[in-house]
Amino acid sequence: MTYNTGDLFPFEPDWSDGVIERLEWMTDILRANNGDEQRIGVRDVPRMSLSLRYLLQKNDAAFLRNLAWRRSFYYFYFPFWPHRNVVTSAASSGATTIQTRGLDLGVGTGSYVAFVGSDGRKVEVKQVSSASTNNIVLSSAITNDWGVHTTLVPCARGHLDNDFQLSLTQVTANVTRAETQFLYDPRANPILMPQGLPDFVYAGHELWVDEPNWSSEIPLDTRHFTQLIDSRVGTFRENSYGLLTWMLPEQVMQGSWFLKGRASIDRFRQFLARRHGRMNTFWTPSWGCDFELVSPIGSADTVLTVKYNYTAYPPAPGRQHIMIRAKNGTYWPCEVAAMADNGDGTSAVTIGAALGSSLAVSAVDRIMWLHCARLASDTVELRWEHPQFAEARMSLAFVTDRDTVA
């Protein structure tokens, strides 16, 4: 099982601890004093890594120890286990067309796949010529016979991350626990990352309306770009870095999204590919109850009556759009033309265009700020519990919508 560019790392991870996939882009951001940003993408494709744990027994444990001792500082072919699949019809030696759910593998021309026998000793790595719904076509014929349900998994060249370290713990004489992070060669990631097309576009940016997972709390951190000047012997004062920074704080929301099924996971990965790390902005609701409606909305109304809640007048940059969501799931993104305090405990919110539908107060689920946002970090994690289930964790930074991208 030795190949001209390295050995296959054949062990399937311990799924009870999850498999962490990290996607890491690189972006330079130039921020003006008024909150505007110019963002420059530095890395064309993301770096992809997997963090995994193994629990191996007897000869498997010895196999891993010997592999780590002999080749831990070399490149390996490393399987991308979240896209693990199986051969659906027996393939005989000499075959080039393999029956499998080809699109679920996420591979394309030039990608590699590994056939892995039940004990991890019999393996074969082959390059892919093409992939379709029910099969993949290989660039060269297989040399072994592979039966139905043989593990078939995408793989790519890479190395042990963190200076080629592999942490091994002897639990007993026959049991070894291992933890490692594997970094794929960015010139040949194991799976494709197509950008696809956004579901919705609003005011020049993609509209992302997938609600976070409320089983976890959603922190929202607010930071103003203000310096406190304190002489320690008298009074103190604040010094803003720019004329408008007092009303343009930096806000970062942290959330997680539970993804069930490969269609949902692939759709989310396409969303990440369109983001290109911190570079490309999109619209997203705050997901809080930012306005409480007190009067019904007529189909031709352009003024909403809501409870007063200390909203700034006039709307500041970065707070000039809202989303109205009905309980039946329908939603309306709206530009805010003006806001006014009615003086009776309510506020008037003027929107740019009527909804075209009448809404009773009881029919409205939430009225939320609609933020122009970007990823707050170039690194995004997906925690895979199973090839069909993953949880994504992201931090979103709310920005003005006057930014430019280079």
Side-chain angles (χ1 to χ4, degrees):
M1 54 178 274
T2 299
Y3 302 92
N4 59 352
T5 50
D7 288 345
L8 180 74
F9 203 93
F11 308 103
E12 187 162 0
D14 182 0
W15 287 96
S16 65
D17 289 325
V19 172
I20 306 297
E21 176 191 359
R22 289 184 181 87
L23 297 167
E24 184 180 352
W25 286 265
M26 184 178 290
T27 310
D28 282 344
I29 296 181
L30 308 176
R31 182 184 174 96
N33 285 340
N34 67 352
D36 291 355
E37 292 182 348
Q38 182 179 17
R39 297 179 297 279
I40 304 169
V42 178
R43 188 174 287 165
D44 290 335
V45 295
R47 289 194 171 180
M48 183 182 299
S49 65
L50 286 185
S51 294
L52 315 94
R53 292 183 178 182
Y54 304 92
L55 190 63
L56 304 175
Q57 300 181 21
K58 297 183 178 179
N59 194 51
D60 284 345
F63 191 111
L64 178 59
R65 291 195 298 271
N66 293 333
L67 186 65
W69 180 85
R70 178 171 172 257
R71 298 190 62 87
S72 63
F73 59 94
Y74 283 93
Y75 282 94
F76 291 94
Y77 275 113
F78 196 88
F80 186 78
W81 288 107
H83 279 202
R84 178 187 183 276
N85 217 312
V86 295
V87 175
T88 56
S89 180
S92 301
S93 174
T96 57
T97 300
I98 308 301
Q99 302 301 313
T100 185
R101 295 188 298 274
L103 297 183
D104 283 356
L105 285 168
V107 296
T109 303
S111 302
Y112 287 88
V113 293
F115 297 81
V116 183
S118 58
D119 62 356
R121 302 299 183 271
K122 180 183 176 183
V123 299
E124 189 169 355
V125 175
K126 287 294 180 181
Q127 193 171 32
V128 176
S129 175
S130 63
S132 60
T133 304
N134 297 317
N135 63 63
I136 59 173
V137 178
L138 305 177
S139 299
S140 60
I142 57 176
T143 58
N144 296 288
D145 295 331
W146 298 104
V148 178
H149 304 308
T150 295
T151 295
L152 184 63
V153 60
C155 64
R157 191 170 179 261
H159 63 80
L160 297 176
D161 206 0
N162 301 320
D163 297 325
F164 301 95
Q165 293 185 35
L166 175 64
S167 176
L168 301 176
T169 302
Q170 287 287 117
V171 180
T172 68
N174 289 323
V175 177
T176 296
R177 184 172 62 243
E179 298 182 17
T180 186
Q181 180 168 313
F182 193 88
L183 179 64
Y184 291 102
D185 187 333
R187 295 168 296 181
N189 279 331
I191 60 173
L192 304 177
M193 280 204 66
Q195 293 190 1
L197 296 173
D199 294 333
F200 309 100
V201 175
Y202 168 72
H205 298 284
E206 178 172 355
L207 178 61
W208 178 254
V209 292
D210 287 30
E211 190 164 1
N213 182 7
W214 285 102
S215 65
S216 302
E217 296 178 345
I218 301 178
L220 178 64
D221 298 325
T222 302
R223 180 171 72 95
H224 287 266
F225 293 87
T226 302
Q227 182 182 26
L228 182 66
I229 300 175
D230 186 359
S231 64
R232 301 293 181 182
V233 295
T235 187
F236 53 81
R237 65 184 181 88
E238 69 279 355
N239 178 40
S240 294
Y241 297 147
L243 180 62
L244 296 178
T245 52
W246 64 273
M247 66 178 186
L248 293 177
E250 180 182 71
Q251 285 194 312
V252 176
M253 182 186 80
Q254 302 175 43
S256 65
W257 284 259
F258 184 68
L259 310 171
K260 182 179 180 180
R262 283 297 303 278
S264 176
I265 296 170
D266 290 346
R267 175 175 168 271
F268 184 80
R269 293 176 66 89
Q270 291 178 10
F271 168 77
L272 293 180
R274 294 192 296 271
R275 302 286 66 77
H276 206 93
R278 296 182 295 166
M279 191 169 77
N280 295 323
T281 54
F282 60 100
W283 294 104
T284 185
S286 67
W287 298 113
C289 297
D290 295 316
F291 299 92
E292 184 176 346
L293 188 68
V294 297
S295 297
I297 305 173
S299 60
D301 289 350
T302 57
V303 178
L304 315 180
T305 303
V306 299
K307 280 190 176 182
Y308 175 77
N309 65 358
Y310 196 67
T311 299
Y313 307 104
R319 281 197 164 194
Q320 295 177 338
H321 301 265
I322 61 173
M323 175 177 284
I324 303 168
R325 189 170 82 166
K327 291 181 179 178
N328 65 5
T330 306
Y331 55 85
W332 295 265
C334 307
E335 183 178 5
V336 177
M339 291 186 182
D341 183 358
N342 293 330
D344 59 357
T346 66
S347 299
V349 179
T350 303
I351 57 178
L355 305 183
S357 300
S358 298
L359 284 175
V361 173
S362 60
V364 174
D365 173 44
R366 270 171 282 176
I367 302 179
M368 305 167 278
W369 286 115
L370 187 61
H371 294 290
C372 189
R374 59 166 171 80
L375 300 187
S377 171
D378 279 319
T379 301
V380 179
E381 287 189 359
L382 279 77
R383 181 184 181 90
W384 295 80
E385 305 292 344
H386 181 274
Q388 295 290 332
F389 300 95
E391 181 184 19
R393 300 172 183 174
M394 293 191 302
S395 294
L396 308 181
F398 300 150
V399 299
T400 71
D401 55 1
R402 303 185 305 231
D403 54 271
T404 57
V405 176

